[in-house]
Amino acid sequence: MGELKLMKGNEAIAEAAIRAGVDAYFGYPITPQSEVIEYLALQKPHETTGMVVLQAESELASINMIYGAAGAGKKVMTSSSGPGISLMMEGLSYIAGAELPCVVVNVVRGGPGLGTIQPAQSDYFQATKGGGHGDYSMIVLAPASVQEMSDFVPLGFDLAFKYRNPVFILSDGLIGQMMEKVELFDFVPRWTEQEIIEKNPWATTGKTPGRERNIITSLYLDPGIQEKHNEKLQAKYRKMKKEEVRFEKIQCDDAEYLIVAYGSSARIAQKSILLAREKGIKVGLFRPITLFPFPFNEIKKMANQVKGILSLELSAGQMVEDIKMAVNEKIKVEHFGRMGGIIHSPAEALEALEQKIIGE
Amino acid sequence: MGELKLMKGNEAIAEAAIRAGVDAYFGYPITPQSEVIEYLALQKPHETTGMVVLQAESELASINMIYGAAGAGKKVMTSSSGPGISLMMEGLSYIAGAELPCVVVNVVRGGPGLGTIQPAQSDYFQATKGGGHGDYSMIVLAPASVQEMSDFVPLGFDLAFKYRNPVFILSDGLIGQMMEKVELFDFVPRWTEQEIIEKNPWATTGKTPGRERNIITSLYLDPGIQEKHNEKLQAKYRKMKKEEVRFEKIQCDDAEYLIVAYGSSARIAQKSILLAREKGIKVGLFRPITLFPFPFNEIKKMANQVKGILSLELSAGQMVEDIKMAVNEKIKVEHFGRMGGIIHSPAEALEALEQKIIGE
Amino acid sequence: MKDELYTDIVKEENLVYKKTSLMTDNILSYCPGCGHGTAHRIIMEIIDEFGIQKDTIGIAPVGCSVLAYDFMNIDMQQAAHGRAPAVATGIKRTWPKKIVFTYQGDGDLAAIGTAETIHTCNRGENFLIVFINNGIYGMTGGQMAPTTLPGMKSSTCPYGRDVDMMGHPLKIAELVALLPGTHLVSRQAVHTPAAVRKTKNIIKKAFEYQLKAKTGTCFVEIVSNCNSGWKMTPVQANKWMEENMFPYFPLGDIKIEGKLVQ
Amino acid sequence: MKDELYTDIVKEENLVYKKTSLMTDNILSYCPGCGHGTAHRIIMEIIDEFGIQKDTIGIAPVGCSVLAYDFMNIDMQQAAHGRAPAVATGIKRTWPKKIVFTYQGDGDLAAIGTAETIHTCNRGENFLIVFINNGIYGMTGGQMAPTTLPGMKSSTCPYGRDVDMMGHPLKIAELVALLPGTHLVSRQAVHTPAAVRKTKNIIKKAFEYQLKAKTGTCFVEIVSNCNSGWKMTPVQANKWMEENMFPYFPLGDIKIEGKLVQ
Amino acid sequence: MAKVKGAIVVDIERCKGCAVCIGACPSEVIDMSAEVNGKGYYYAYMANPDACTGCSNCAIVCPDGIITVYRKKLDT
Amino acid sequence: MAKVKGAIVVDIERCKGCAVCIGACPSEVIDMSAEVNGKGYYYAYMANPDACTGCSNCAIVCPDGIITVYRKKLDT
Amino acid sequence: MTEEIIIAGFGGQGVLSMGKILAYSGIMQNQEVSWMPSYGPEMRGGTANVTVILSDERISSPILTEYDTAIILNQQSMDKFESSVKPGGTLIYDGNGISSPPERKDINIYRIDAADEASKMGLTKIFNMIVLGGYLKVKPLVDLKNVILGLKKSLPDRYHHMIPDNEKAIMRGLEIVEPVHILN
Amino acid sequence: MTEEIIIAGFGGQGVLSMGKILAYSGIMQNQEVSWMPSYGPEMRGGTANVTVILSDERISSPILTEYDTAIILNQQSMDKFESSVKPGGTLIYDGNGISSPPERKDINIYRIDAADEASKMGLTKIFNMIVLGGYLKVKPLVDLKNVILGLKKSLPDRYHHMIPDNEKAIMRGLEIVEPVHILN
Ligand SMILES: Cc1ncc(C[n+]2csc(CCOP(=O)(O)OP(=O)(O)O)c2C)c(N)n1
Ligand SMILES: Cc1ncc(C[n+]2csc(CCOP(=O)(O)OP(=O)(O)O)c2C)c(N)n1
Ligand code: SF4
Ligand code: SF4
Ligand code: SF4
Ligand code: SF4
Ligand code: SF4
Ligand code: SF4
Ligand SMILES: [Mg+2]
Ligand SMILES: [Mg+2]
């Protein structure tokens, strides 16, 4: 068993980055995720694994530093929250367009605008439907524990390099700020320069006589070529939809009602279903782990079993649209969620289920 | 009848801004919409209506200039395309959060990334689901002619001030670059300073002894207050959904099949339904004019009449999700669209309808 | 002092100094001893003295002073991080007769907002920028700012700012002074009575320019403390500031009436 | 000249100048006479001469030179508008032994990318920035740039740049020269043989620094033409440039080996 | 001879105990209290009231703007 | 006495007719053709070949890098 | 009546403005019109084209894959658009710089040596108006007086002194256009 | 076993680190734990609180509205959290600065004058460890030896010299905590 530590979610991400052999982190402080860069600054991984840590002048700069380093074949990541993530939309669209692997973490806080620094889940659309311009998608992982904050870093990089695509970790202030026990995985050495060149033959590692020059670009002035490129991207996204759907089912076997919730809401919901079962109501929890690709088919299947679904999100109702698309009016689907940094209590969530779904 | 002119869509927007009594335009050049600022620069409205035109150092700057001027009660607008619009996501989220009225135009080009400068409709999600962070919505108007490029400017401002909310005009390179006959509406005088103060008692026009100071902000550190604010925003969006749905139906009365398309695709589709009817296939065109609020109910109704729906978009399929949500598997809904700046021909669209919808 | 004497003195007619009514009665959200409060107050005193409350619009940044609008009894807008000069440009261009100022921290103005700062000053936008340089990101808990001193510790340079890795502290006032668009550039402080008086005079001048004519951008930097971020008591912090910040960021006028001071 | 004589001279062994093979055979997408081509070529010649093709990574901007990667036969990345220095930072920090340079226009570097330019130079990122200042946005059809001259016409200032409204042309080289992070700052041209030779020497120096040690950012501005944007023939444009651009943007070294040249 | 005497009023409940006023006073009038106020801060008070000249130095450096200053010419 | 003679080869189909090379030549060797190439441009050619010294000035300013220069010592 | 036209040539040949004048002419006689150019940097030194539609009805798609008439001014455009003329449609081309002339037998083909004529007239700038004249001869869908009105509307005031030359060019175009292959 | 605790007081009273040590102690005896602080600028000079959960099972919600135990260190927190203790639960408070002591009759209430004790011991920094000792007396859910282990784990090496003082404080806390109202 790996080393056990009590850590904040944000610290776990940072520690996992060092252990996963990440080459560089570029970022800009913002609550509630500044601990990521602070932890890294304190650990000085530059002196151990050689990982570079740099505070950029802005989120615009950091996402474009990511672009550069990722284009050169390195394992790189950044993290931010709300306003900072919005500033990265152009860069993310470029990264997706240029097919670069990287991991980007959003520790979501309440919006819109400057909003509040308390936890929220209101950036679901931005993450899953593409907040930037153009047709692109990212794999979106939603950790629901500090352990997953750690585990999804190496997983994220595996997927990012497998698909040459950005992977987005959609966390929130609750998961980022809480401490839990984490089992830390063992250190993975950073790729050597030779390994980088071999594993990423497309990367700008310097044109050697043996190969054509490598170009990282998202520009295709000729619409015909641009369309081919887009089709290639779409094929990749279809493959993700087929192969990368991840979810967890808790007490779903005998469930008559279902709560669908991810991340921190899934934690709340876990307690809600306990409360429900104490009252004799058979409720299950379906937790999407990948928000893109979204587990449409699995939820569709559940819709054949249960009588109604409550989407529990810290938002005005975003994921609920995907659930509705999956379920297609077969059964009742409703949203319940608090906003602006208020976190629904387990009891409140159960009450919502009773009123909105079981009710009539 | 107003003055008749042959104009590019981009020029029509600019001319309409002058005529609608807009106080300022702030923008940064980008193809395919640079004619907006170029036309304004040439017209020098500063010398006639007093409208300010300023080339900003970036799209980040221009959207925040908009924020400032809108917060001070002025009628202001900006325009951009793809990458530039992505850079505005933080600012738009602030504008929505602070409830400021303004008009923002996106003349869409192919993405992701730098992409191509040819027309596309791949920023639908970004515009309608909120590309910025947090729960917010904007009214999204989709012009399908140069005339509408002109008409939607005053309409946009009416709606923006009615709801104290940004209004987004989602155009594209085709509508922006083409010339058509436009009937120009008559000049509307700019609001006087007195009118601004009276019509916008919330604006930062200088604290006079009679009233409390006005504050423009999107920050609510207290989650309780933030949630109330969010609920207020959501109530506003619900009102929009009730009152502001706009669409056009062409040859729908007897239609057995339906194409749903907006903007430039609706123009192509118009020809496709002509071709279809020449072949004896009764196809109608449903054109959403507001993409948010989306005409869910009306499309739902049409689903009771027709046998299948083709969503025609210059994208990998974005609006089709909203159509599916409206239709709920009652009938077949498929997407057809070209990408990357390639524009589907009317014949091609018809063929897609025949194969994907009528086919079996 | 006898109580009677005290009550004899403490009378309306003997009043010599009182917080201006242009500061609201809300309790300042700043840490004890933080210079933000003093800086706020002198700006409000000037507005009070000029009688221009009804003509003034202020812009609050993202930073500890994000809530400036809770304390300044004038119309205000809160701007996105770094974008206050753009927001002010939007206001001033469309309300050229209003008196406009931004109030920004060093992270806001000299890191994420660098482009807006430079271009606003370059266009000579006709408003005042008040720049609070406390060498750190106060609000987010003490991370390194562009102005953090060499060797100085912060939560993102816990072993001290290493200028080889992180660059030197940025003297943005000296940069904007080179731009033809700036009319007044000055660096001051607010930690002693003398400093406060001097700073107030400079800011007053800046308001005067704006009231009179279109002269260009006025840029007043206030080197200030952040005792929380620096992990010192307020009194220690002020001393440390004098000994360490002032040598690097020397106080004084840099540009007056469009001319560099040398 | 007799044909025989000609064929006698035109022989491999008599070759004195030939386009370097580090320029690809793709036809340059630039307008006739545009300085971008010459600037590209001298950079590639230097890389060729140093034999560092396999160690060099270039960054293309958004601007007419967005397609630089079609012409430069080295590994390249295309960066978002204005962000080339950030992209280069990402590369150089993670591949410190690679030789990295950005190639950027005036809109890219001095407008939207101002913050990245300043902070990259301030951190002293150890790579070369080549800055093509043609006083206009060439690619998008001739809009005003931060460096457009006073009174000069463009599609967004069709009546000439009014400095009161739009600010003065920005001398960004002079600004970055003030930052401790820059090691070499120079302004040159490529419109005459002498200018080309001088520019090449300077850029060569910049590559040499980077090959040898971590010295800081090298920043070479090339004042160039945009005959399409200026609406002149190439020859007229070069003349106009000498007469109008050079007085405002005087050629010469501004900072050498970390020291300002005065 | 007319002597000028000053006095200050510290808004105790708003005092944050930063002590900045102490150093600003040329007459060493101010000191910090031994007790805390409702917010838990030791607050400034006139420890040596006779010395106060009403010069306002303390007030103008008080970051929280909570010192009010009075001055009166006394006939001696 | 050995005389140095030069010659240039212009890649006609790639010439864009910008005429920048003309002014760069110290020996007034180059002029623009009367006919256009396949791209519609008048192209540069050695109008006065005898004067060419092979100094390469033309080649190093040609934005399109399409001039190749040769030089030979001729024995006279 | 609906007429769908493509005009294609080099950038700088006045392709776009010719299309614009034609469209304005349509407006002058109360037609619906649309004008859709190719745009972007591929225009730099390269080719330019514009699709113009004149119609009595509301115009649907402004972008087309086949045309009633193609007006072709260089070889590249010939290669691209010859095959896009509808059977029975019309192709008009300037012979200058055309190395492989059109060969279709199912369309009407006209040739107009406008470039030569323009330089003969010493007015190279009005080359495009000569071509327009040729088109108007072949397809007299808009009244000449409306074309003149359209010309006035589309030219900024400061260029109005050039109208007489433009008129002259149009008239010349009417004269010099020549049938090459006519369907019967 | 699941124990849900809120610890609330002024920022600077060591509320967060006390919670952290408690959580680490849980880990030392193989429990599941969670620690969720209030965060953000409202902490500046204001109040701070942390929710700690110790459990033998996987922990669901780390945020709660009712608690088994509330440890309350100032009046503001008393006002906020007294009512959130589950009926039958436990409230422990430091009397210093409490103007209205708890009045509920359906819970167990203990008082620990840790602030006074800490200044008596001349060790104001370990105030929070005295409180922790009091808690451990009232709720002996974690072994003292695991608490010491937890203390070591949660303190950075450079503070390990302070462990003896901390231990002493915990022991003192065990002694001085006093019942105020006990359910029977
Ligand atoms: C786009 C964005 N990035 C980051 C933040 C987080 N943030 C808030 S304040 C701040 C720095 C404040 O420092 P400074 O401007 O120096 O002001 P101070 O608090 O020191 O007065 C940061 C990085 C944000 N709100 N928005
Ligand atoms: C975010 C963004 N904004 C605007 C543009 C449009 N754009 C492309 S190039 C350019 C300016 C190019 O000018 P410059 O950098 O001077 O290069 P030049 O073409 O003159 O060499 C602009 C504004 C863009 N692609 N992306
Ligand atoms: S954190 Fe620093 S800048 Fe912010 S209020 Fe406290 S002392 Fe002032
Ligand atoms: S537009 Fe200007 S900068 Fe661009 S290629 Fe042409 S001449 Fe060069
Ligand atoms: S008014 Fe002057 S003398 Fe009196 S306490 Fe204040 S600083 Fe001291
Ligand atoms: S300066 Fe003000 S807040 Fe600080 S101790 Fe003195 S009176 Fe109190
Ligand atoms: S090589 Fe020298 S002499 Fe010969 S043509 Fe070129 S510039 Fe003239
Ligand atoms: S410089 Fe080059 S492209 Fe220009 S005319 Fe001479 S040979 Fe041709
Ligand atoms: Mg600061
Ligand atoms: Mg340029």
Side-chain angles (χ1 to χ4, degrees), chain A residues 197-269:
Chain A
I197 292 168
E198 277 159 22
K199 284 178 203 284
N200 311 310
W202 46 266
T204 58
T205 52
K207 182 198 167 332
T208 42
R211 65 157 168 86
E212 278 297 285
R213 67 191 185 288
N214 283 336
I215 295 167
I216 301 297
T217 189
S218 63
L219 171 73
Y220 299 94
L221 279 177
D222 177 337
I225 299 176
Q226 177 78 47
E227 187 176 56
K228 278 221 183 72
H229 175 66
N230 282 55
E231 269 158 12
K232 182 180 160 208
L233 295 181
Q234 292 300 322
K236 195 161 84 170
Y237 305 150
R238 278 193 297 274
K239 183 159 184 240
M240 291 174 189
K241 286 181 190 174
K242 239 185 178 166
E243 298 182 8
E244 305 301 345
V245 172
R246 285 168 170 77
F247 56 90
E248 184 188 17
K249 292 202 233 173
I250 296 176
Q251 306 210 33
C252 280
D253 287 351
D254 64 343
E256 292 174 7
Y257 299 97
L258 193 67
I259 297 180
V260 179
Y262 69 93
S264 57
S265 280
R267 294 295 292 267
I268 313 292

Side-chain angles (χ1 to χ4, degrees), chain B residues 89-313:
Chain B
M89 286 302 125
E90 186 204 27
L92 276 175
S93 174
Y94 268 76
I95 287 173
E99 298 193 84
L100 300 182
C102 66
V103 171
V104 176
V105 183
N106 183 358
V107 182
V108 184
R109 55 192 247 176
L114 190 48
T116 167
I117 55 175
Q118 301 302 318
Q121 298 185 303
S122 47
D123 300 354
Y124 176 94
F125 279 146
Q126 187 189 51
T128 60
K129 309 276 171 190
H133 60 286
D135 286 298
Y136 73 91
S137 299
M138 306 180 288
I139 294 181
V140 180
L141 300 170
S145 65
V146 176
Q147 186 66 53
E148 286 186 343
M149 290 288 258
S150 170
D151 295 346
F152 286 3
V153 171
L155 170 63
F157 277 102
D158 287 350
L159 294 170
F161 278 86
K162 175 171 175 194
Y163 289 98
R164 277 189 63 188
N165 207 65
V167 168
F168 202 79
I169 298 184
L170 192 72
S171 176
D172 62 57
L174 194 148
I175 307 288
Q177 291 293 328
M178 77 188 287
M179 288 207 203
E180 288 186 310
K181 188 159 79 177
V182 223
E183 186 183 339
L184 297 171
F185 56 87
D186 286 341
F187 283 87
V188 178
R190 286 173 52 237
W191 285 339
T192 63
E193 302 200 344
Q194 202 44 45
E195 279 172 315
I196 290 175
I197 293 167
E198 278 160 21
K199 283 178 204 285
N200 310 311
W202 46 266
T204 58
T205 52
K207 182 199 166 329
T208 42
R211 66 157 167 84
E212 277 296 286
R213 67 189 186 288
N214 283 336
I215 296 167
I216 302 298
T217 188
S218 62
L219 171 74
Y220 298 96
L221 279 176
D222 178 336
I225 299 178
Q226 177 79 48
E227 186 175 57
K228 279 222 183 72
H229 175 66
N230 282 58
E231 269 157 13
K232 183 181 160 206
L233 294 181
Q234 291 300 322
K236 196 161 81 170
Y237 305 149
R238 279 192 297 274
K239 183 161 184 235
M240 291 173 189
K241 286 179 190 175
K242 239 186 180 165
E243 298 182 9
E244 305 302 343
V245 171
R246 287 168 170 76
F247 56 89
E248 184 187 17
K249 293 203 235 172
I250 296 176
Q251 305 210 33
C252 281
D253 287 352
D254 65 343
E256 293 174 6
Y257 298 97
L258 192 67
I259 297 180
V260 180
Y262 69 93
S264 56
S265 280
R267 293 297 292 266
I268 313 291
Q270 242 170 283
K271 181 111 186 180
S272 305
I273 61 172
L274 294 184
L275 297 179
R277 285 180 183 261
E278 279 172 18
K279 282 175 112 176
I281 313 173
K282 287 186 184 156
V283 185
L285 169 63
F286 186 99
R287 175 168 82 92
I289 291 174
T290 50
L291 302 181
F292 182 94
F294 190 75
F296 285 107
N297 291 334
E298 294 69 20
I299 290 180
K300 198 167 190 161
K301 266 182 237 154
M302 286 303 301
N304 294 326
Q305 173 190 325
V306 299
K307 297 182 196 157
I309 295 180
L310 184 75
S311 175
L312 186 70
E313 309 167 61

Side-chain angles (χ1 to χ4, degrees), chain C residues 29-36 64 134 136 138-139 225-229, chain H residues 44:
Chain C
S29 54
Y30 306 112
C31 304
C34 174
H36 274 305
C64 279
N134 57 10
I136 208 156
M139 166 168 244
N225 58 17
C226 174
N227 36 81
S228 291
Chain H
R44 188 174 300 142

